[in-house]
Amino acid sequence: MSLSAEAAELDTHDPLAGKRAEFDLDPQMSYLDGNSLGAPPRSVAVRLDEVVRKQWAGRLIRAWDEGWWQAPERVGDRIAPLIGAAAGQVVVGDSTSVNVFKALVAAARLNPGRPEILLDVTTFPADGYIAENAARLTGHEIRRVVPEEMPAVVSERTAVALINHVDYRSGLVHELPSLTESLHAAGALVVWDLCHSVGAVPMAVDAAQVDLAVGCTYKFLNGGPGAPAFLYVPTKWQESFDQPLSGWAGHVDPFGMAEAYVGGPGVIRARTGTPDILSMLALDAALDVWDDVTVEQVRAKGLALGDFFVRCLDELVPAAEVLSPRDYRRGNQLSVGWPDAKRVMAAMTKAGIIGDFRPPDVLRFGLAALYVRYVDVLRAAAFLSGWPG
Amino acid sequence: MSLSAEAAELDTHDPLAGKRAEFDLDPQMSYLDGNSLGAPPRSVAVRLDEVVRKQWAGRLIRAWDEGWWQAPERVGDRIAPLIGAAAGQVVVGDSTSVNVFKALVAAARLNPGRPEILLDVTTFPADGYIAENAARLTGHEIRRVVPEEMPAVVSERTAVALINHVDYRSGLVHELPSLTESLHAAGALVVWDLCHSVGAVPMAVDAAQVDLAVGCTYKFLNGGPGAPAFLYVPTKWQESFDQPLSGWAGHVDPFGMAEAYVGGPGVIRARTGTPDILSMLALDAALDVWDDVTVEQVRAKGLALGDFFVRCLDELVPAAEVLSPRDYRRGNQLSVGWPDAKRVMAAMTKAGIIGDFRPPDVLRFGLAALYVRYVDVLRAAAFLSGWPG
């Protein structure tokens, strides 16, 4: 069977094939950049219109009492099952960077007398910039380590480790349960960055006893450009969670206007300022696509898409260097080494096959299984095989 | 002439009367809570639909290069004239609380060796919670002072003062130029919170040599519930602006993925994480209502609305205690002492006259001159005169 016939057959028998219709995506588009910006679920535009015209215009200030105020935890509870968390432990708001700051400083305060923060050297640099800010303000030192080496390096000096669940370059998934366990064994806490795994790779943060976690919602959760991030604070740490941006929205009595800050119950105290409702409810609508699918289903298709993509590349483009793991250790992206990566990605994009490029020579293809088809990855491989054509 | 005939005549001759039609507001509604949540300009729903369906769905990741990435400064430049700032000094993003944190820590770093932060004791408590966070992390002491006493209290120990331009309870406008000058004379910096004045009270932050300022956009700028806040960093401080949440979006080469943080040029380095585009562009649309009006016009009508409101209260409700200044020192709200304030506001709201309540016994009425009519404030006074009816 030709790859083309195979792709068609795989798409025909794909149990998730119907989900693509829930997204506002040009049928001609092969969109392989959902790991940077997820595609818009159709429900988002409808919901935003309702939020502006019915809630904001119709109810004005009263809408705060009619669901807006509770939205950060309500939407958080919709994300919770996607990361393996019980309800009441996830709050939505602020950017990922701001949440990394809250989590790192809070973790350092939970583990006093230990002067060092271990930083995943392979993490998205954004996390490193924030870790530097946190370390400077709290007097910690940063030590940059590859996650796999952390168990050998962690010591009684380590307050907390910040690890990205998925290497944004290679797509390698780090072993969350065993790394968490090893770090705990040395008395260190762990903050996980789930940006590249939430909505793509199953995980069980409660079962793994993760201390704190952050994640973004504009990749595989399709919340929209710059959509609010989330912060996971498990029950065990909520009462002692002492964060550096404790703000009025997390106060036990936010409208009491008391001079002294007293944190609210549960995960609410992880809030800072007024929740950003338009973006929050756009995300809420975007999460509707998860109502009838599990992360496990998405993961199965994501791996199958990647396996098929690798076969297409091996067969059609032997020169392409597959940088991502070829097995289950791969997250939901395929990274390909390519000498003129920037130029070829610009040309692919013009042809309606959108992935992204990371300097100096990496093509990244996100495999968002809710809307990516087998034919899309074949198209990408075929384009590379014809380059420069 | 009766108050009722007078209100009608004032509305007829109001040069801003036509602006109300630009808002999606029930004609029967007297909305006097624009100081908490501004009403929605009609342009917002239209723009959001376009952003989701045309930009996000149509352009996907490419939209970042087609205007999204520059939005924080572009929208900031639209706010700049409203606060008397030249272009290139205002960035939009994050919540007010997060921006207060950035501004206070950056100001403290600009003025080292001074152990004290003066905190406006009358400010919205949210600012105090964040000031405590900043002080704890930087090792400063907080000293709570009424703004008018700051010139007497400031000393060589003072690094920075945080002052709210308008007292959120009384509506008193503090004298921004003279207070800034007095504090500068003692070598202190000043961070102004403009939440309750931007879009309502003219000011000239450049001329007054304000050091840093923050403000929210969901009150008199009508950006939407929890809309992103802004941060003003004047040219003189941009190069030395050393903020505690320096993040990837403020990097000189954000897509270069360098390990070391290097701040971008100008006000860009005040950014933290990925800009929240849906909320940012909703605000952008909301700012269209300012295209053909000046803050001075809005201020003139706001004062006239307040003057008329006070006359209505004096005449119809002599028992009402006007807590706000009766002259130009009043901001864009009228605060009224009322024994069962919470109950009466609930009843007014049911009757379609919406203001708000601040514990224990203050009614607040916002006078957003772009959509509030003279008949609205008369209605509010008449309702109070009939209470408990």
Side-chain angles (χ1 to χ4, degrees), chain A residues 285-310:
Chain A
L287 291 171
D288 289 354
V289 300
W290 292 94
D291 283 350
D292 57 359
V293 291
T294 64
V295 188
E296 287 71 19
Q297 285 175 286
V298 166
R299 173 63 169 162
K301 180 176 168 190
L303 280 172
L305 279 166
D307 291 344
F308 183 65
F309 198 179
V310 169

Side-chain angles (χ1 to χ4, degrees), chain B residues 14 127 147 167 185 251 253 329:
Chain B
D14 170 15
D127 287 15
D167 183 315
H251 196 283
D253 182 16
R329 289 170 306 161

Side-chain angles (χ1 to χ4, degrees), chain A residues 12 86 111-112 126 130 187 205 221 263 318 345:
Chain A
T12 303
N111 211 1
I130 294 297
V205 292
L221 298 187
M345 186 49 72

Side-chain angles (χ1 to χ4, degrees), chain A residues 24-26 29 31 33 36-42 44-46 48-49 51-53 56-62 64 68 94-98 101 105 109 121 124-126 128-130 132-134 136-138 144 168-169 218 222-228 242-248 251 253-262 272-280 282 286 349-350 354-356 358-359, chain B residues 24-26 29 31 33 36-42 44-46 48-49 51-53 56-62 64 68 94-98 101 105 109 121 124-126 128-130 132-134 136-138 144 168-169 218 222-228 242-248 251 253-262 272-280 282 286 349-350 354-356 358-359:
Chain A
D24 188 2
L25 261 181
D26 179 349
M29 169 70 69
Y31 189 57
D33 206 8
S36 279
L37 174 65
R42 292 184 190 278
V44 172
V46 178
L48 273 174
D49 199 66
V51 170
V52 175
R53 294 184 199 264
W56 181 10
R59 304 300 298 162
L60 293 157
I61 190 74
R62 294 165 293 187
W64 277 113
W68 287 356
D94 298 313
S95 65
T96 307
S97 289
V98 167
F101 183 75
V105 174
R109 288 173 175 169
V121 73
F124 196 65
Y129 306 154
I130 294 297
E132 293 280 3
N133 278 304
R136 177 176 170 192
L137 284 164
T138 58
R144 291 168 195 268
Y168 79 98
R169 265 171 301 225
Y218 51 77
N222 311 299
D242 179 14
Q243 62 124 325
L245 293 169
S246 49
W248 87 281
H251 197 284
D253 182 15
F255 299 96
M257 305 290 148
E259 187 176 290
Y261 177 82
V262 181
T272 300
T274 309
D276 187 335
I277 294 301
L278 299 183
S279 293
M280 181 98 55
T349 297
K350 275 194 186 153
I354 302 185
D356 78 2
R358 283 290 174 255
Chain B
D24 188 1
L25 261 181
D26 179 349
M29 170 70 69
Y31 189 57
D33 207 7
S36 280
L37 174 65
R42 292 184 190 280
V44 172
V46 178
L48 273 175
D49 199 66
V51 170
V52 175
R53 293 184 200 265
W56 182 10
R59 304 300 298 160
L60 293 158
I61 190 74
R62 295 166 292 187
W64 277 113
W68 286 357
D94 298 313
S95 66
T96 307
S97 289
V98 168
F101 183 75
V105 174
R109 288 174 175 170
V121 72
F124 195 65
Y129 306 153
I130 295 297
E132 294 279 3
N133 278 304
R136 177 177 170 193
L137 284 165
T138 58
R144 291 167 194 269
Y168 80 98
R169 264 171 301 224
Y218 51 78
N222 312 299
D242 179 14
Q243 62 124 325
L245 293 169
S246 49
W248 87 282
H251 196 283
D253 182 16
F255 298 95
M257 307 288 148
E259 187 177 290
Y261 177 81
V262 181
T272 301
T274 309
D276 186 337
I277 293 301
L278 299 183
S279 292
M280 181 99 55
T349 297
K350 275 194 186 155
I354 302 186
D356 78 3
R358 283 290 175 256

